[in-house]
């Protein structure tokens, strides 16, 4: 039976996280974690949810762009998209007038992410599988057909991608069984927000250790002396064997090689959120070498591939790597980062890239260049999203998770019925509910409370911001 997409709804949802300092860093000092959210409906009852993460003002602009893009789906049979999701992605990006205000970057690309993610969510729900399972069950040919290749074939052709995927077929089911059993490795950012007090950082770091984490990230870039002091404080906690009642990791183990792990096998990463020019980044991070970071994340402008390459060369003698990707506009920026040998760690974002089809292209390029993928998460719904992407990478594409760690932040998961969960080893559990699709469905009550500006929380705030009770 043919079904049709009938209509869609968008919601501008904002949470007052700036009141507690969640998400604060050197660049973004007043974050209200937000979601430009869309639900697409069909005449059969099949639906799909998607979103793009934002941090407050401007979410309404993204929602407007979502309405322009989602309107093109109305009247179409979703199965015609499911047959070839790469072709569907190309079509979604092909409206010449909408494309003009990108192209393939900025607000229009964020909106495309929400719509493409919603279509993938609908696809997974139609097949009764979590999104990761839908994709790892694809044949290599189907997965290639689901990927966006335009503008990257100078470094990765469809034929090369097919060969890579076919080479990973042999051990795919064993990898799926393993990650389902042990979970996917994670690191925590929630302990290291810039706006937190020393007491809160210390307490949250110890709680994270007790939860099984051994990779930690702190924000830097506002004040050098304070960053060094805070880094030493965190190091004193994570390097102290007394804080590991159940034992700790061997710092010489293969998964920790080259990560500047301390005596307990704990790893510290630092994140500047784009605040420096290239020379500043080199000078600043060199000064932090004594806290032994594995990498500096986003040391400069996110689309400056050659700047990142220069920083990487300068920091290599100190054993400090470079990571970026959270704000990389599109697959072409990643292509240039790989070509310039500018990064040690690739950090994809599930909403900055324009949905799953473009994410797949970056995962494939990272696998070809041998760069580990450690996705950006946190915010609203990003953790729920990216566990699917990391499992896809491990099972079907790269075949490795030994050195990979997926970001985790302990905020706002209570608003999602299919929320992500962690096991006692500090690893993400693999989503298993066949009804959850891409795991981004939000409770209607949460939407009603936090939709801007007429949700019950914001009306009750009387034009200001207050903590909800």
């Amino acid at each position: 039976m043919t079904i049709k997409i009938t209509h869609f709804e968008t919601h501008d949802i904002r949470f007052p996280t700036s009141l507690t300092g969640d998400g604060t860093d050197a660049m973004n000092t007043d974050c209200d974690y937000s979601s430009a959210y869309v639900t697409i409906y069909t005449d059969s009852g099949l639906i799909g949810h998607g979103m793009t993460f934002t941090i407050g003002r401007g979410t309404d602009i993204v929602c407007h762009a979502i309405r322009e893009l989602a309107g093109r789906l109305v009247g179409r049979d979703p199965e015609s998209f499911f047959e070839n999701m790469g072709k569907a992605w190309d079509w979604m990006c092909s409206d010449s007038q909408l494309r003009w205000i990108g192209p393939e970057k900025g607000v229009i690309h964020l909106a495309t992410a929400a719509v493409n993610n919603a279509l993938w969510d609908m696809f997974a729900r139609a097949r009764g599988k979590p999104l990761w399972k839908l994709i790892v069950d694809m044949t290599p040919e189907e997965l290639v057909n689901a990927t966006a290749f335009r503008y990257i074939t100078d470094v990765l052709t469809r034929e090369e991608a097919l060969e890579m995927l076919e080479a990973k077929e042999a051990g795919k089911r064993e990898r799926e069984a393993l990650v389902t059993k042990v979970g996917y490795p994670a690191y925590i950012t929630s302990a290291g927000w810039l706006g937190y007090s020393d007491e809160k950082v210390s307490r949250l770091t110890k709680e994270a250790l007790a939860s099984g984490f051994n990779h930690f990230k702190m924000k830097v870039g506002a004040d050098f002396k304070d960053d060094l002091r805070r880094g030493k404080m965190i190091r004193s906690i994570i390097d102290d064997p007394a804080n590991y009642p159940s034992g700790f990791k061997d710092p010489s183990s293969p998964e920790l090689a080259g990560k500047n792990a301390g005596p307990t096998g704990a790893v510290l990463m630092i994140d500047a959120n784009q605040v420096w020019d290239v020379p500043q980044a080199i000078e600043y991070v060199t000064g932090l070498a004594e806290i032994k970071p594995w990498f500096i994340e986003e040391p400069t402008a996110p689309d400056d591939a050659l700047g990142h390459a220069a920083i990487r060369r300068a920091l290599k003698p100190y054993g400090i790597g470079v990571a970026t990707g959270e704000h990389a506009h599109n697959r072409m920026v990643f292509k240039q980062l790989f070509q310039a040998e500018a990064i040690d760690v690739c950090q994809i974002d599930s909403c900055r890239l324009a949905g799953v089809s473009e994410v797949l292209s970056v995962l494939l390029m990272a696998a070809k260049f041998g760069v580990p993928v450690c996705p950006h998460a946190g915010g609203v719904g990003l953790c729920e999203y990216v566990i699917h992407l990391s499992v896809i990478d491990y099972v079907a594409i790269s075949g490795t998770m030994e050195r990979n760690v997926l970001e985790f932040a302990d905020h706002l998961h209570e608003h999602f019925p299919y929320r992500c969960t962690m096991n006692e080893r500090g690893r993400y559990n693999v989503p298993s509910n066949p009804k959850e699709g891409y795991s981004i469905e939000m409770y209607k009550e949460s939407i009603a409370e936090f939709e801007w500006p007429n949700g019950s929380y914001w009306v009750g705030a009387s034009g200001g911001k207050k903590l909800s009770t």
Side-chain angles (χ1 to χ4, degrees):
M1 182 182 73
T2 300
I3 64 174
K4 290 189 182 301
I5 294 172
T6 56
H7 65 290
F8 60 89
E9 295 177 357
T10 62
H11 300 278
D12 176 349
I13 306 162
R14 308 186 193 184
F15 299 92
T17 52
S18 59
L19 295 177
T20 52
D22 299 342
T24 49
D25 56 60
M27 181 67 79
N28 307 295
T29 58
D30 189 30
C31 304
D32 283 329
Y33 277 169
S34 304
S35 170
Y37 191 83
V38 61
T39 300
I40 301 172
Y41 297 88
T42 69
D43 57 8
S44 72
L46 179 65
I47 61 175
H49 304 283
M51 60 150 276
T52 282
F53 171 63
T54 53
I55 62 167
R57 287 186 302 276
T59 308
D60 51 340
I61 300 172
V62 182
C63 285
H64 189 90
I66 289 171
R67 288 192 288 272
E68 292 294 321
L69 289 161
R72 300 183 67 219
L73 304 182
V74 174
R76 301 292 296 262
D77 179 358
E79 286 293 339
S80 68
F81 295 130
F82 302 160
E83 291 172 0
N84 189 316
M85 288 293 280
K87 185 177 179 180
W89 190 91
D90 288 339
W91 176 82
M92 289 173 63
C93 296
S94 68
D95 183 291
S96 61
Q97 295 186 8
L98 293 176
R99 176 181 169 76
W100 184 265
I101 57 174
E104 297 189 37
K105 54 182 172 285
V107 169
I108 201 69
H109 216 53
L110 293 172
T112 304
V115 178
N116 186 252
N117 286 338
L119 198 60
W120 275 101
D121 180 62
M122 183 183 288
F123 188 5
R125 288 166 178 262
R127 301 299 185 263
K129 298 179 180 182
L131 179 92
W132 71 265
K133 180 63 171 169
L134 171 77
I135 293 179
V136 302
D137 283 350
M138 288 181 173
T139 66
E141 293 84 358
E142 289 170 333
L143 205 157
V144 166
N145 285 337
T147 302
F149 279 97
R150 191 176 193 180
Y151 302 137
I152 66 168
T153 55
D154 52 326
V155 299
L156 181 70
T157 66
R158 297 173 65 90
E159 292 74 22
E160 288 177 294
L162 183 60
E163 289 180 8
M164 290 169 56
L165 294 169
E166 287 175 340
K168 289 292 186 292
E169 279 289 288
K172 197 160 71 170
R173 296 308 163 202
E174 290 78 7
R175 291 192 295 274
E176 179 180 335
L178 177 63
V179 72
T180 301
K181 178 181 178 182
V182 305
Y184 196 92
Y187 74 87
I188 193 162
T189 299
S190 302
W193 297 125
L194 207 56
Y196 285 0
S197 67
D198 285 359
E199 182 280 328
K200 189 170 185 178
V201 170
S202 176
R203 173 173 54 81
L204 291 176
T205 301
K206 291 176 181 177
E207 289 176 1
L209 284 173
S211 297
F213 288 96
N214 79 311
H215 285 64
F216 302 82
K217 190 170 78 178
M218 61 173 278
K219 300 292 185 172
V220 298
D223 180 270
F224 174 78
K225 289 183 179 179
D226 193 54
D227 288 342
L228 185 59
R229 181 190 61 79
R230 291 168 55 248
K232 288 180 177 179
M233 179 184 71
I234 293 174
R235 264 294 177 199
S236 71
I237 297 169
I238 65 178
D239 288 350
D240 185 353
N243 291 322
Y244 295 81
S246 301
F248 47 83
K249 292 184 179 292
D250 178 1
S252 64
S253 59
E255 70 267 25
L256 296 175
K259 290 187 174 182
N260 272 334
T264 60
V267 177
L268 180 63
M269 302 95 87
I270 56 177
D271 183 358
N273 292 92
Q274 317 158 28
V275 295
W276 301 313
D277 284 357
V278 171
Q280 287 177 300
I282 294 168
E283 180 181 8
Y284 203 108
V285 179
T286 299
L288 294 176
E290 63 180 291
I291 64 173
K292 296 168 57 180
W294 170 25
F295 61 66
I296 172 65
E297 179 179 341
E298 285 199 316
T300 192
D303 49 353
D304 185 0
L306 297 182
H308 280 84
I311 295 167
R312 183 176 184 244
R313 288 193 299 270
L315 296 181
K316 196 166 187 177
Y318 299 90
I320 302 172
V322 171
T324 202
E326 172 184 347
H327 283 85
H329 290 308
N330 49 42
R331 64 205 177 281
M332 291 79 80
V333 174
F334 282 102
K335 179 183 75 169
Q336 293 171 52
L337 289 166
F338 294 136
Q339 288 174 313
E341 299 182 350
I343 53 174
D344 298 274
V345 173
C346 171
Q347 294 176 306
I348 57 170
D349 183 277
S350 57
C351 302
R352 182 70 56 175
L353 293 169
V356 176
S357 291
E358 188 172 32
V359 166
L360 292 174
S361 68
V362 177
L363 294 178
L364 284 160
M365 285 191 288
K368 178 179 177 177
F369 282 86
V371 177
V373 178
C374 300
H376 165 248
V380 183
L382 298 186
C383 294
E384 279 69 24
Y385 262 160
V386 295
I387 178 56
H388 290 269
L389 305 179
S390 285
V391 174
I392 292 164
D393 177 54
Y394 170 56
V395 175
I397 298 176
S398 72
T400 179
M401 64 174 174
E402 285 67 33
R403 298 184 55 73
N404 301 43
V405 279
L406 171 55
E407 185 171 20
F408 176 76
D410 192 18
H411 310 298
L412 303 174
H413 302 292
E414 66 272 17
H415 299 287
F416 298 89
Y418 302 112
R419 70 194 70 175
C420 67
T421 60
M422 308 295 291
N423 65 27
E424 69 282 356
R425 303 178 186 179
R427 290 171 172 251
Y428 276 84
N429 291 313
V430 175
S432 59
N433 193 319
K435 298 180 180 180
E436 67 185 280
Y438 202 1
S439 303
I440 210 64
E441 180 179 355
M442 193 178 291
Y443 285 117
K444 288 182 172 60
E445 295 81 2
S446 296
I447 296 173
E449 183 175 3
F450 290 101
E451 184 157 17
W452 176 266
N454 297 317
S456 60
Y457 170 82
W458 294 109
V459 170
S462 300
K465 287 189 288 189
K466 64 181 182 181
L467 288 173
S468 56
T469 57

